[in-house]
Amino acid sequence: MSQAAQFVEKHRATLDKAQAAAFDRGYWSQYPEMPSGKIYGETAKEDGEAAFKGYLNTAFALDVPGAAGKVGAEHSPFGFDLGITYPKADIDAAIKAAEAARAGWRRATALERAAVCVEILDRINKRSFEMAFAVMHTTGQAFMMAFQAGGPHAQDRGLEAVTYALMAQKQAPEGEVVWEKPQGKNPPLVMKKHFHIAPRGISVMIGCATFPTWNGYPGMFASLATGNPVIVKPHPNAILPLALSVKIAREVLVEAGFDPNLMILAADEASAPITKDLCQRPEVKIIDFTGSSAFGNWLEDNCRQAQVYTEKAGVNFVIIESTDDFKGMIRNLSFTLSLYTGQMCTTTQNFFIPKDGIDTEQGHKSFDEVAQALGQGVAKFLSDADRAVEVLGAVGNPATLERLASAPKSGDVVLESQALKHPYLGNAVVRTPAIVKLDKSQESTYCEECFGPVSYVIPVDSGTDAIETAKRTVMQHGAITAGLYSTKPEIIEAATEACIDAQVALSINLTGGVFVNQTAAFSDFHATGGNPAANASLTDYAFVANRFRIVGVRVPG
């Protein structure tokens, strides 16, 4: 039995469970999210941290075709240079090696490819603590979030992509099909047919600086599972998590009997970017990108030879029309705004609130009372600095700090951002969120994504006006998440219909432990692909099915 076949036997049950979960859309997770020694090993955290520290100020050991020279200038938002160097990518050599790796991988069955991908994810999972420190010190996520979002949650998203890829390829039967058409008194027409999965070609995954694995794994594994070699182009500020992922993938591919150049790291540096040149190569047929609208639009406009999947900027919103749990609402939203200092593509930016206030179980609240309660809720939640830094993490991008500094100039400050001192990482750049009141007429401000810990409270005429305004902003500028607080069935129905029309996911009356900016693999679809914030969803059939074609071969029987 080949090693690939052994992986099929090893992971068949997991793939069966994953396929069932993809149809059910209930809770299911293959990879435990709690950083527990009972799950990952009693010394797993210490071992992971030691492994991470072992990479610092060294050359990362990884085979890269045609590499010449070194790159690497990662700086931890928690206050120190990583000092890691990586092999400098050569585009021509990477393309040539990826092309050479294709044939053997294409001839594998869809199930074999899926099983190899699951083995990669399983091995990544076993090193989740190591990955957590790598994610933490490249993105600025606090440790718990880095472990969960950068580790098991990202791994679940990768498995979800593999699962959908496998299911999509099942539309073509494996083996010979006999086609027989009756001809009355004459002998039937008989044809023997074989249907082959034909991968599109080289796939490029462009990593982002904030969630390199969570946003990166779906595209990486969707392409690999459908037979395409993958060139991973990490963000220069967050190379290590993807370098680790590629290294593990290459090891598994070799063990399974395939060319390791099915997964290639193409690291570059900010002063000498290679992304445009790489993505415009005619051999590149698939591109996955998470980041700014400007570059996402450039890829869509200038890489016509490729199928381009983008997640770009949006203006996420929450409508507060009424509530029967005011404290619960404020508590929930305070966490939403604070998590990772608002540096999530799903964090709420715009709050639309009726100018005459809202009804609550505590009585009527004016607009200003609601806005002030939101500001006070965030301030109270973050009042303990030791606890706050474990939610906020750190800010790594100077542009985010610039946006945070300039935001108060646009309106009336409800909550001023504060700099916090990290209790044990003294050079960390830690900031609390800012909340600014705008006028409804200031669309040029609130209709542009202000990525980072800045939110706007905006008075509108009514709940209906809030829905209409929010819908318009999404259809024109995009959003990935939407929220509503209302006790009125007619408002809930109207908001639901508006969000279906605008094609944005809606969360209603969240007051407990589920938050608008968090999504669950195998249950929630991340983005819809139906508004300007993204042209793809993580993860549905549309995300995987266009990464391959079906080629029929037929002969007379």
Side-chain angles (χ1 to χ4, degrees), residues 130-423:
E130 180 182 345
M131 187 65 73
F133 285 104
V135 170
M136 175 180 177
H137 287 293
T138 52
T139 68
Q141 295 176 32
F143 176 78
M144 180 62 83
M145 184 178 192
F147 181 90
Q148 294 183 333
H153 293 176
Q155 296 149 18
D156 276 337
R157 280 294 185 193
L159 178 58
E160 185 180 43
V162 172
T163 303
Y164 271 89
L166 177 60
M167 293 192 297
Q169 291 171 92
K170 285 183 176 180
Q171 65 184 295
E174 294 181 358
E176 185 176 86
V177 174
V178 177
W179 180 88
E180 186 171 318
K181 181 179 180 180
Q183 294 293 302
K185 296 181 179 180
N186 297 318
L189 297 176
V190 180
M191 298 290 289
K192 294 180 179 180
K193 303 182 181 183
H194 286 84
F195 298 96
H196 299 271
I197 298 297
R200 287 184 70 103
I202 294 174
S203 174
V204 172
M205 194 287 289
I206 306 169
C208 66
T210 49
F211 289 89
T213 56
W214 198 96
N215 280 109
Y217 285 177
M220 285 171 56
F221 285 100
S223 285
L224 193 64
T226 50
N228 305 280
V230 181
I231 297 176
V232 177
K233 212 305 291 180
H235 192 284
N237 294 345
I239 302 173
L240 182 58
L242 293 177
L244 286 169
S245 304
V246 169
K247 185 178 179 70
I248 294 169
R250 291 173 66 88
E251 293 169 354
V252 173
L253 287 164
V254 170
E255 289 183 31
F258 298 102
D259 192 324
N261 291 322
L262 288 163
M263 188 75 76
I264 297 172
L265 184 75
D268 63 357
E269 50 196 354
S271 60
I274 65 171
T275 310
K276 287 185 176 181
D277 291 340
L278 174 61
C279 289
Q280 287 187 300
R281 287 291 295 257
E283 300 93 338
V284 172
K285 300 301 183 182
I286 304 167
I287 298 170
D288 289 279
F289 169 76
T290 300
S292 70
S293 291
F295 195 70
N297 292 338
W298 185 91
L299 289 168
E300 292 171 355
D301 293 340
N302 293 278
C303 301
R304 300 288 187 179
Q305 87 289 353
Q307 177 68 39
V308 181
Y309 299 93
T310 59
E311 181 188 310
K312 301 175 289 190
V315 284
N316 304 318
F317 72 85
V318 165
I319 294 169
I320 303 177
E321 189 276 334
S322 57
T323 181
D324 57 8
D325 185 0
F326 189 74
K327 287 186 177 180
M329 177 185 75
I330 295 298
R331 184 171 55 246
N332 186 280
L333 292 174
S334 296
F335 182 85
T336 293
L337 298 184
S338 302
L339 186 60
Y340 189 31
T341 322
Q343 297 170 101
M344 301 174 69
C345 60
T346 52
T347 301
T348 304
Q349 175 176 300
N350 297 333
F351 289 89
F352 296 105
I353 306 169
K355 62 184 180 182
D356 292 331
I358 69 170
D359 292 330
T360 80
E361 83 287 2
Q362 301 176 7
H364 191 78
K365 301 278 188 181
S366 69
F367 173 91
D368 288 338
E369 286 176 319
V370 177
Q372 289 297 327
L374 185 58
Q376 291 166 4
V378 173
K380 181 180 179 181
F381 179 65
L382 300 175
S383 59
D384 182 335
D386 288 1
R387 184 182 71 172
V389 297
E390 300 304 330
V391 176
L392 293 167
V395 179
N397 192 337
T400 301
L401 297 176
E402 292 173 6
R403 287 189 291 269
L404 181 58
S406 63
K409 302 173 185 177
S410 60
D412 299 326
V413 176
V414 175
L415 178 66
E416 185 177 0
S417 176
Q418 304 289 331
L420 297 185
K421 187 73 172 179
H422 199 286

Side-chain angles (χ1 to χ4, degrees), residues 477-515:
H477 306 283
I480 293 177
T481 63
L484 170 70
Y485 289 91
S486 179
T487 60
K488 301 181 178 66
E490 65 275 15
I491 292 293
I492 293 173
E493 181 179 359
T496 300
E497 290 298 316
C499 288
I500 293 172
D501 288 344
Q503 298 186 30
V504 58
L506 174 64
S507 299
I508 301 172
N509 293 330
L510 300 183
T511 57
V514 176
F515 306 93

Side-chain angles (χ1 to χ4, degrees), residues 19-51:
Q19 290 175 81
F23 283 115
D24 294 342
R25 308 311 295 183
Y27 173 77
W28 184 75
S29 175
Q30 173 66 9
Y31 304 110
E33 68 176 3
M34 293 308 297
S36 168
K38 294 181 180 179
I39 298 171
Y40 290 95
E42 293 300 332
T43 64
K45 184 173 184 179
E46 291 77 11
D47 294 344
E49 185 172 16

